[in-house]
Amino acid sequence: MARIQAIRGTQDRYGGALLRWRVMEERVRAVADRFGYEEIRTPLFEATELFSRGVGMDTDIVQKEMYTFADRKGRSLTLRPEGTASVVRAYLEHGMARERPIAKFFYMGPMFRYERPQKGRFREFHQFGVEVIGSDDPLHDAETVAVFIAMLEDLGLSGLTVRLGSVGDGECRPAYTALLRSYLKENEKDLCETCRERIDRNPLRVLDCKADAGGPVIAGAPSILEHLCGGCRDHLDRVGAALGAAGIPYTHDAGLVRGLDYYTRTVYEVHHERLGAQSALGGGGRYDRLVEDLGGPATPGVGFSAGMERIADVASSLGVEWTGEEPLRLFVAPLDGAGEERVFPLLLRLRRRWRVEGNYRARNLKTQLKHAVRFGARFVLLIGEEEAAADAVSIKRLDTGDQTRVKAADLEREIESLASAGDGDDRSRKE
Ligand code: AMP
């Protein structure tokens, strides 16, 4: 029979790659904790309307990339393509504004987009992100950039660049949009087909075009940064000043529109040169209309999302090692029938504290020592007739071969002291 394979654009994660992935998850979560972002986990699928309203009808995501299906009752559901809309839905649904005048959330998990799989682009990929809901203070915009940078730095990444822009608001965007539209109309013939279609509906999205054709026209377009109203200008300056004061370098980028429609004012991206064409590790911005668009009271918000596959990619190309605390590993080897009788409870007892493997059946010692080495054990616990008679266990150090017999009741204490003595030896050897 033909074998069934994983769906294109999805990945299995196991072995060393999974261990590194777990370290990334732990470190990022720890930084979110330090910055006071509360973790939230929302469902992997939602009503389709949440994303068409929340992300925007005119985005690539909604037009081309959603995994949408009808359930058995004919309701239209969608696998989440991003995290923000779900977080805002949950925030409204549970009346979270009551306990949290400013709500700060952190999320992490899989997202789904029907994109053409290529380097750095998957159909199931992972993001983490933060949202601050209920504040229009530019310091909160800067805080989301700062927590993003702190996460990446904790992961050992250097060489990051922050691009900062603004998409204006209801006061200044309409005039700028009109200006941009007439400029694009004049140069229509040099744009790609999708862009030509977007000139009337949503000309700002043309600035985000990935096709090469329109490059020169887009580069010559009027800059929104020169057409911001006083409020938006001041807001952007304050975000920039806060980043400057925090020692986070950034450059202004007038071409930043980002793929999602809900942004107002601040938009930003964090890039790494190693990624080439898909160089964004993540990005975010302010979404002062989103809560209202999803049926809530007018409430400002700001946040970012980051692509975890891309981050893992950059880390490995920089040779950054992500290793967690390695717990002590032990191996239990029964030597005969008496050992076999004691092995099961002994394994369970030791597994309360350490990572322990062993054989249930007695084998010759050489074979068992080989198993122990392959498992990465530091100590092998030998149990046989002699040990059973003395209610004891023999502990063999795999690096030196030294062996001692200890009372079963003292086992944990002995292992602990042997392990820390071993650490001391390691240090003195390195010096
Ligand atoms: P977005 O939600 O589109 O702003 O994307 C934020 C970040 O998620 C991007 O900068 C990428 O790092 C990552 N990302 C987005 N789409 C994908 C994808 N299809 N595969 C892998 N990573 C992605």
Side-chain angles (χ1 to χ4, degrees), residues 11-23:
Q11 287 176 293
D12 297 311
R13 197 161 274 115
Y14 57 92
L18 178 62
L19 291 181
R20 283 193 293 283
W21 194 266
R22 277 166 46 173
V23 172

Side-chain angles (χ1 to χ4, degrees), residues 113 115 120-122 125 127 258 280-282 305-307 310:
R113 293 183 197 173
E115 294 193 84
R121 280 211 175 273
F122 303 94
F125 62 100
Q127 289 186 333
R258 314 235 341 107
L281 292 172
S305 65
R310 302 247 179 113

